[in-house]
Amino acid sequence: MAEAGATSGNLGSGQGVAAWRQRFAAIPNGRKLGLMIGAAVLIAAAVGVWLFSSTPNFRVLYTNIPDKDGGAIVQSLQQMNVPYRLDAGGMISVPADKIYDTRLKLAGQGLPRAGNAGFEIMDNQKFGVSQFAEQVNYQRAVEGELARSIETISVVEKARVHLAMPKQTVFLRDQQKPSASVLLTLQAGRSLDSGQVAGVINLVSSSIPDLPSKNVTVVDQNGDLLSRPQDMSQPNLDARQLVYVQQIEKNYVGRIQAILASIVGKDNVRAEVTAQVDFSEVEQTSETFKPNSPPNAAAIRSQQTAEQLGRNVTESVGGVPGALSNQPPGAAVAPITVPLASDVAASSSGNSNSSKNATTNYEVDKTIQHVKQPVGNVKRLSAAVVVNYKLGRDKGGQATYVPFTAQEMTQLNDLVREAIGFNKDRGDSVNIVNAAFADSQPLAEKPIQDKALDYARANLTDLLKLGLIALAVLYLLLFVVRPLMRDLARGRDVPEPVDLELGEPLSGDETQAAQRQERVEEDNVRLSALADRLQQGKELAKNDPRMVATILREWMAREEDAANPNKVG
């Protein structure tokens, strides 16, 4: 019984394969080709996914490696049994999961040797090395450290630094400043802006004593000079000042367009602003003395008073003892004028002296002012605005462009003045012109066909792309998806093989069982063929019902003739 079941299973599978073969044979050749192409695409995609998943993901280990170091690295990778891949430009790649481990092992072997040497070169100084060699090694170490620092910039792939260090001298007039040259290898398609170049220059100049920024030269791999020297005729000219002026002008233009766009429309206004900016740095120190205040309101700083009183007695006889003092008095002389009695009394009573001095110091008003003017003040603004004509109606009532009225132009002028902060004392000027734009389209009514044609011309590229996509989708739906769905539906309509008990009843003899199985297989083949014919008949009746009706009438006429052979037509 077990052998009989196995035999029945094998026969059933054979019948299923035969049924699938018959279905495939019934499919038209065009559909067979589509199915085979689809199967081939699926198999290729599966194989590609398997190959992609089985291939390790390689990442760059080193780039721009010289041939000598490249050979040593490849030899080390072979000894470590690490898969590698060599590309053009001295690029070596290894699997992503082994890249860091490989770099550490190669670094332990001192590979690659062509890298920039830093201060580690000072670790292996030989005994008895000369001072010149020490100076050279120190300069190499500084150059290597600077190159490593510059290579950390994302845009820079490789950097080399050369330093020119003059000998020191005790004579001031013979002293020379050091200089530096930097060669940068930039990433493909990348570039350095002025700010990044200035950063590299300042990095190098700050690392070397007495190295001015103007003595640093930066060149890229194409030989283009990145560090532009300043114009000596205008030493204070800075590119940032030009950018600052452009930002101010752009800001004012944005204000004008933003406030007028809500009135005249976004595409109906054009504005340009010219700003004169003062970048001069002014520092002013002034000392001012105010006029003297009234004495009663002035503040006394210091006051000093001095008074002297004295009295002289009658002159007494005196002199130097001796012969001259003992001489008799001379002859009396009468005065021409007779003195008054008061004078005589005063002279008889003696002379008196008195003096009084007073010194008063007042506070003096004094103002000391130190003023530093801000840099970047706007000295003058000039605004030029052009406004397109507005929509309106002509005398005939048709839509057209008409100019603004004088009152509307005055309102627009006032808005622009307020938007830019107009200052008459500063000399600002605003000029608004109302004119028709050259790209303004006429407003005459066009037919719908002309509008569609204009739209198609303006968007021809987009329409072509959409058309190609629509054709591809339509092709897939009609010639790939629809036939496959129809074949699947036809396959579902085919009944499963049925074991029909035809002929003699089962017996225990294996020969009779084999014959019975052969009959069942034949019956299943017939039923499958009958199902295919029925399906074809259904499709024929659906597609051409007249032909089916004609065939049925012929069949009925034949049966009627067979039933009545004596009937005379």
Side-chain angles (χ1 to χ4, degrees):
M1 294 298 293
E3 294 179 357
T7 304
S8 178
N10 293 331
L11 292 176
S13 61
Q15 293 175 359
V17 172
W20 280 106
R21 288 179 180 177
Q22 291 180 359
R23 295 175 188 173
F24 185 77
I27 298 175
N29 293 330
R31 297 180 185 176
K32 290 180 181 178
L33 181 61
L35 290 175
M36 289 187 290
I37 292 174
V41 170
L42 290 176
I43 294 173
V47 172
V49 170
W50 179 77
L51 292 176
F52 180 78
S53 60
S54 61
T55 303
N57 183 18
F58 283 85
R59 289 185 60 186
V60 177
L61 180 65
Y62 295 113
T63 58
N64 297 327
I65 297 296
D67 295 339
K68 184 177 180 180
D69 288 347
I73 292 174
V74 169
Q75 185 177 1
S76 299
L77 293 177
Q78 292 176 353
Q79 294 176 358
M80 292 185 294
N81 295 325
V82 176
Y84 64 90
R85 186 173 62 191
L86 296 177
D87 297 327
M91 182 183 299
I92 301 177
S93 303
V94 297
D97 56 345
K98 298 182 179 180
I99 183 170
Y100 298 107
D101 187 21
T102 305
R103 284 181 180 175
L104 291 176
K105 292 180 180 179
L106 292 176
Q109 300 176 8
L111 295 175
R113 300 185 182 89
N116 296 319
F119 280 109
E120 64 271 8
I121 197 175
M122 308 296 293
D123 297 338
N124 299 322
Q125 290 289 338
K126 296 181 181 179
F127 181 75
V129 66
S130 64
Q131 185 179 2
F132 176 76
E134 288 182 351
Q135 184 65 27
V136 171
N137 290 336
Y138 175 75
Q139 184 172 341
R140 287 181 57 195
V142 173
E143 291 175 352
E145 292 294 336
L146 287 175
R148 290 177 180 177
S149 299
I150 296 173
E151 287 176 356
T152 56
I153 302 175
S154 60
V155 183
V156 179
E157 180 178 352
K158 190 176 181 181
R160 294 193 65 185
V161 180
H162 303 280
L163 298 177
M165 308 296 292
K167 295 182 179 180
Q168 296 182 357
T169 177
V170 296
F171 301 101
L172 295 177
R173 59 185 177 182
D174 294 338
Q175 287 183 355
Q176 297 180 0
K177 297 292 184 181
S179 60
S181 300
V182 182
L183 177 62
L184 301 179
T185 301
L186 304 180
Q187 298 284 351
R190 305 291 295 275
S191 62
L192 288 173
D193 56 16
S194 58
Q196 291 173 324
V197 174
V200 173
I201 294 174
N202 292 331
L203 174 65
V204 176
S205 63
S206 301
S207 302
I208 308 300
D210 298 331
L211 176 58
S213 300
K214 63 180 180 180
N215 288 0
V216 180
T217 303
V218 182
V219 183
D220 63 0
Q221 73 271 20
N222 298 323
D224 296 332
L225 182 63
L226 302 180
S227 56
R228 299 292 181 182
Q230 293 183 352
D231 189 2
M232 298 307 297
S233 61
Q234 297 180 352
N236 295 327
L237 184 61
D238 192 352
R240 293 175 297 179
Q241 297 178 358
L242 180 60
V243 175
Y244 178 71
V245 174
Q246 292 176 352
Q247 289 178 353
I248 291 177
E249 294 175 349
K250 184 178 179 180
N251 185 18
Y252 283 115
V253 170
R255 291 182 182 181
I256 295 173
Q257 292 182 351
I259 196 170
L260 295 184
S262 59
I263 300 175
V264 300
K266 181 179 180 181
D267 298 331
N268 293 326
V269 58
R270 301 288 186 274
E272 291 294 336
V273 176
T274 302
Q276 295 181 5
V277 183
D278 185 12
F279 291 102
S280 59
E281 297 182 1
V282 179
E283 293 186 5
Q284 181 180 2
T285 302
S286 60
E287 186 175 356
T288 305
F289 294 91
K290 294 182 179 179
N292 294 331
S293 302
N296 56 353
I300 298 175
R301 180 178 182 181
S302 63
Q303 186 175 9
Q304 183 178 2
T305 304
E307 184 176 359
Q308 294 181 357
L309 297 175
R311 182 181 179 86
N312 294 332
V313 298
T314 304
E315 186 179 356
S316 60
V317 178
V320 179
L324 295 177
S325 62
N326 294 328
Q327 295 293 328
V333 180
I336 299 177
T337 59
V338 179
L340 297 175
S342 60
D343 294 336
V344 175
S347 62
S348 61
S349 62
N351 298 325
S352 61
N353 296 323
S354 65
S355 63
K356 185 177 181 181
N357 297 325
T359 302
T360 304
N361 295 324
Y362 295 96
E363 292 288 352
V364 179
D365 292 337
K366 179 181 179 181
T367 302
I368 300 176
Q369 187 177 12
H370 182 79
V371 180
K372 184 176 181 180
Q373 299 292 340
V375 180
N377 290 331
V378 178
K379 297 175 60 177
R380 187 173 182 271
L381 289 177
S382 300
V385 183
V386 180
V387 180
N388 192 16
Y389 283 173
K390 64 179 180 179
L391 297 177
R393 298 285 179 177
D394 57 5
K395 295 180 180 180
Q398 296 182 356
T400 184
Y401 291 103
V402 296
F404 286 90
T405 62
Q407 182 179 1
E408 292 174 342
M409 291 299 297
T410 302
Q411 294 176 353
L412 296 179
N413 192 4
D414 294 339
L415 288 176
V416 173
R417 287 171 178 263
E418 294 296 332
I420 66 173
F422 182 83
N423 189 352
K424 184 178 180 181
D425 299 335
R426 193 171 56 186
D428 296 348
S429 63
V430 175
N431 187 11
I432 300 181
V433 177
N434 184 211
F437 286 1
D439 55 353
S440 298
Q441 299 294 333
L443 296 179
E445 294 294 335
K446 293 183 178 180
I448 298 178
Q449 296 81 359
D450 295 343
K451 293 182 180 180
L453 184 60
D454 294 341
Y455 179 80
R457 291 176 179 175
N459 303 275
L460 181 60
T461 305
D462 297 337
L463 292 178
L464 289 176
K465 292 180 180 179
L466 293 176
L468 292 176
I469 294 173
L471 288 176
V473 173
L474 185 62
Y475 175 80
L476 292 175
L477 292 176
L478 294 180
F479 297 98
V480 178
V481 178
R482 183 181 177 185
L484 290 177
M485 296 300 294
R486 183 181 299 173
D487 294 338
L488 293 175
R490 180 185 300 175
R492 287 193 298 266
D493 293 340
V494 176
E496 296 293 336
V498 180
D499 294 338
L500 298 179
E501 296 183 358
L502 301 176
E504 299 177 359
L506 291 175
S507 64
D509 192 5
E510 296 179 357
T511 303
Q512 294 180 357
Q515 294 177 356
R516 176 177 174 279
Q517 188 66 30
E518 290 179 359
R519 294 194 198 98
V520 171
E521 184 177 357
E522 291 177 359
D523 294 338
N524 290 333
V525 172
R526 293 175 183 176
L527 290 175
S528 177
L530 180 60
D532 292 339
R533 291 178 181 177
L534 289 176
Q535 183 65 25
Q536 293 178 1
K538 290 179 181 179
E539 292 182 358
L540 181 62
K542 182 178 180 181
N543 296 331
D544 195 353
R546 295 182 179 179
M547 182 180 292
V548 174
T550 303
I551 293 173
L552 291 176
R553 282 198 299 268
E554 291 179 357
W555 288 354
M556 294 173 64
R558 290 178 183 177
E559 291 180 355
E560 185 178 356
D561 294 340
N564 300 320
N566 296 326
K567 182 179 179 180
V568 180

